[in-house]
Structures are given as structure tokens and as C-alpha cells.
């Protein structure tokens, strides 16, 4: 337990440094944006004098290091800036949009894990037989399918040809739980299938390795029920897929941004699209930074879970 706490504190202690690196990267990259915050706020017809006054008041012409430290100071106060039109705090816009993206990501993650376990375990148990061959083909197809293209196909088939689900839009769960589930089902499926396919291959490979170990042969010879043997092997096999789960959650977060645009969901994807098309640097900066930090937090949590399920790494 002492070793686990030491490694956990080491992971957590690195978070502020990594968050600082993320803020620096996001800030510097967006400085190359052709959009001028002054003209975005004042309008393209603003005079050079008005632009100069606005830039002086907001420090737009200050040296880059000065602007960066000012940006960090605003972040520490919870100030992500103000959107161009309409003029609203970026933090308020994100607070409204991020819960939807989080709901879609979590729903996609649960669906991906369930599908990956079914595909992976079934393929390993029926190794080199027809269920294994079928699931391997499906997994390869799922990896090859881009989420955005899969989303368009799902809309065509299950919303237009067979109107089982809406083509887009979002229903608040407090208004209608069933409507909420219907509004997020197709986006979650489009988001989850590529991740599930990739995880299924990892789980199958790890399960095949575990099922060939001596303790499994001993358990079979002792007459233990197959269910208990598979459960024990699966517990050990999940250590390897868990190492890439953080990356997959990051893929789900970033993929949700694209999927939201396809299904017209008012999440972080809509904010980024609105910021890019409107030249709103503050909005793009705030949303990208929020997604990047969320990805970092998820990876740290997965690292801690990996320390829990794999005691051997605690000696490193």
C-alpha cells in the first residue's frame, strides 16, 4: 500500500506540470490564428484607432510572454475570456456544453467495453472456430470504419429509412429519459464501435494467452466450472487492455466533438465549430483546453487503476 501511495502521489504531482504544458501549447498555437480578437469584437468596419484602443485595453499588442502569463492568471481565476457574439463568458458556455459531451463519451465508453468483452472473450473461448472468425472479421471492419462515416450510415439506415431514432438533436434526461437515450444511441454507437473493435482484439489476445497458462489447465483438471475459469482468466487478461484504455477514452472525447457536429448535438463540438467559423479565439482556446485537460485527468485515473490491478508495477 505504501508503494502504491508513493506512485499515485508521483502521478498526481506531475499533473500541474502537464497542465501548464497543455496551456502553453494551446496558447502558442492559437496565436497563429488569422483572426484578430479586436476586429471580431468591434466588427470589421472598426477604425484603426478603435482597434488600437481595444488592443491596448486588452493587452493584445503586449509581448507573447506577457500575454501568456496574463492568460495563466485569468485561468487561475476561472476566467476563460468572453465570446465574440453574443458576448458571454466562455466558462459559462463550456459549463452548458461539456456535460453533454461527457454523457456521450461515457455512454460510448460503456458500450465499447461491453462489446469488446463480448467479442474478445467469445473469440478467445472459441479460438480458431467460426465464432472467433466472425468476431475477428467484425473487429477488423470496425477498426477500419471512421466514426463520422459510420454516423452518416446509421442516420441513413435507422433514422431515415427506418425511423427508429431521431436524425439529430438532444433531449434533456430530465424532460424525457427515453427521449434522451434515443437522442444519444446512434451517436454513441458510431463513437463506440471503432474503440470496441480495437479493444476486442487486445482482450482476445490477452485471453488466449491466459487460457494457455498452467493455472487454467490445473483448474480444468480439477473440474472447476468453465464460468469460474473464464472469470479468473479474464481478470488477469484485462491488465493489458487497461493500459490503453486512457488513450481510448481520449479518442472518445475527441471523436465526440466530430460526432456532435454530425448529429447536431449542442456539446463541445458545436462550440469548437462555432469558434472556428466565427474566428472566436477565446471560445476555441477554452474548449480545446478543457478537452485536453479532461484527457489528461482520464489518463491519470487510468494509471492509478492500472497500479491497483497490477501490483507488480508498484515495485518499479
Amino acid at each position: 500500500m505504501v508503494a502504491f501511495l508513493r506512485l499515485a502521489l508521483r502521478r498526481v504531482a506531475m499533473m500541474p506540470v502537464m497542465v501548464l504544458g497543455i496551456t502553453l501549447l494551446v496558447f502558442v498555437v492559437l496565436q497563429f490564428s488569422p483572426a484578430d480578437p479586436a476586429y471580431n469584437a468591434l466588427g470589421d468596419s472598426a477604425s484603426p484607432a478603435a482597434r488600437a484602443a481595444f488592443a491596448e485595453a486588452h493587452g493584445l499588442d503586449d509581448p507573447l510572454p506577457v500575454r501568456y502569463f496574463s492568460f495563466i492568471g485569468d485561468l487561475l481565476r476561472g476566467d476563460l475570456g468572453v465570446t465574440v457574439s453574443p458576448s458571454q463568458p466562455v466558462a459559462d458556455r463550456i459549463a452548458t456544453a461539456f456535460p453533454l459531451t461527457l454523457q456521450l463519451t461515457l455512454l460510448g465508453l460503456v458500450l465499447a467495453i461491453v462489446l469488446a468483452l463480448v467479442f474478445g472473450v467469445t473469440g478467445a473461448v472459441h479460438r480458431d472456430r467460426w465464432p472467433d472468425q466472425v468476431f475477428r472479421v467484425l473487429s477488423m471492419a470496425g477498426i477500419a470504419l471512421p466514426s463520422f462515416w459510420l454516423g452518416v450510415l446509421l442516420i441513413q439506415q435507422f433514422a431515415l429509412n427506418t425511423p427508429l431514432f431521431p436524425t439529430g438533436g438532444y433531449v434533456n434526461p430530465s424532460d424525457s429519459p427515453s427521449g434522451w437515450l434515443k437522442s444519444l444511441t446512434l451517436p454513441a454507437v458510431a463513437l463506440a464501435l471503432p474503440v470496441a473493435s480495437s479493444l476486442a482484439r487486445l482482450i482476445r489476445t490477452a485471453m488466449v494467452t491466459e487460457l494457455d497458462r498452467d493455472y487454467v489447465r490445473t483448474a480444468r483438471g480439477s473440474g472447476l466450472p468453465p464460468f469460474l475459469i473464464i472469470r479468473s482468466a479474464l481478470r488477469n487478461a484485462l491488465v493489458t487492455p487497461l493500459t490503453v484504455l486512457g488513450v481510448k477514452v481520449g479518442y472518445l472525447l475527441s471523436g465526440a466533438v466530430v460526432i456532435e457536429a454530425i448529429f447536431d448535438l449542442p456539446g463541445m463540438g458545436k462550440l469548437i465549430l462555432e469558434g472556428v467559423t466565427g474566428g472566436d479565439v477565446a471560445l476555441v482556446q477554452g474548449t480545446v483546453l478543457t478537452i485536453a485537460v479532461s484527457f489528461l485527468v482520464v489518463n491519470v485515473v487510468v494509471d492509478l487503476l492500472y497500479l491497483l490491478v497490477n501490483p507488480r508495477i508498484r515495485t518499479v
Side-chain angles (χ1 to χ4, degrees):
M1 179 58 70
V2 175
F4 169 75
L5 291 176
R6 184 175 65 251
L7 289 172
L9 289 175
R10 188 186 305 169
R11 297 287 200 280
V12 174
M14 286 297 296
M15 283 191 65
V17 178
M18 291 185 286
V19 170
L20 190 64
I22 290 173
T23 60
L24 179 60
L25 178 63
V26 172
F27 178 81
V28 170
V29 168
L30 287 178
Q31 297 311 303
F32 294 97
S33 170
D36 189 330
Y39 283 116
N40 286 339
L42 301 174
D44 294 335
S45 59
S47 65
R51 191 270 173 203
F54 184 90
E56 182 178 0
H58 294 82
L60 298 181
D61 294 333
D62 290 341
L64 189 63
V66 174
R67 281 183 284 153
Y68 174 68
F69 285 112
S70 176
F71 171 63
I72 292 298
D74 292 339
L75 283 181
L76 293 177
R77 294 191 298 270
D79 183 7
L80 293 175
V82 179
T83 60
V84 173
S85 179
S87 180
Q88 295 177 337
V90 173
D92 292 347
R93 299 289 305 275
I94 292 176
T96 302
F98 188 68
L100 190 152
T101 300
L102 188 61
Q103 292 171 32
L104 178 57
T105 301
L106 292 177
L107 190 60
L109 178 62
V110 171
L111 183 58
I113 291 175
V114 171
L115 291 176
L117 287 173
V118 172
F119 283 22
V121 173
T122 303
V125 171
H126 301 280
R127 185 184 351 175
D128 296 329
R129 285 178 282 180
W130 71 265
D132 184 26
Q133 300 295 339
V134 170
F135 285 131
R136 286 168 70 179
V137 171
L138 291 176
S139 297
M140 292 177 63
I143 294 174
L145 291 177
S147 291
F148 64 88
W149 186 70
L150 184 58
V152 173
L153 290 182
L154 291 174
I155 291 175
Q156 179 69 34
Q157 182 60 40
F158 297 104
L160 297 178
N161 295 342
T162 307
L164 299 176
F165 300 96
T167 57
Y170 175 71
V171 177
N172 196 295
S174 60
D175 297 332
S176 173
S178 60
W180 170 81
L181 186 60
K182 282 187 175 182
S183 67
L184 291 185
T185 295
L186 293 185
V189 171
L191 196 60
L193 277 180
V195 174
S197 302
S198 179
L199 285 177
R201 292 175 63 85
L202 293 174
I203 292 174
R204 179 197 176 276
T205 301
M207 275 291 293
V208 167
T209 302
E210 291 298 323
L211 291 176
D212 286 339
R213 295 192 183 277
D214 291 338
Y215 75 89
V216 173
R217 297 192 185 98
T218 302
R220 286 171 176 165
S222 301
L224 285 180
F227 171 76
L228 295 179
I229 297 174
I230 293 173
R231 187 180 66 178
S232 178
L234 179 61
R235 185 182 300 124
N236 296 325
L238 288 180
V239 172
T240 300
L242 187 59
T243 60
V244 300
L245 186 59
V247 177
K248 298 302 180 183
V249 174
Y251 171 85
L252 290 171
L253 269 172
S254 59
V257 172
V258 179
I259 292 298
E260 287 170 359
I262 295 174
F263 287 90
D264 192 27
L265 298 174
M268 298 292 280
K270 185 175 182 179
L271 288 189
I272 292 180
L273 185 61
E274 178 183 329
V276 170
T277 56
D280 195 332
V281 176
L283 185 58
V284 175
Q285 191 169 252
T287 51
V288 171
L289 187 61
T290 301
I291 293 174
V293 172
S294 301
F295 175 58
L296 173 62
V297 172
V298 167
N299 274 272
V300 171
V301 172
V302 171
D303 283 345
L304 297 180
L305 290 176
Y306 184 58
L307 292 175
L308 284 174
V309 301
N310 189 12
R312 290 173 295 181
I313 201 173
R314 302 178 197 172
T315 60
V316 178

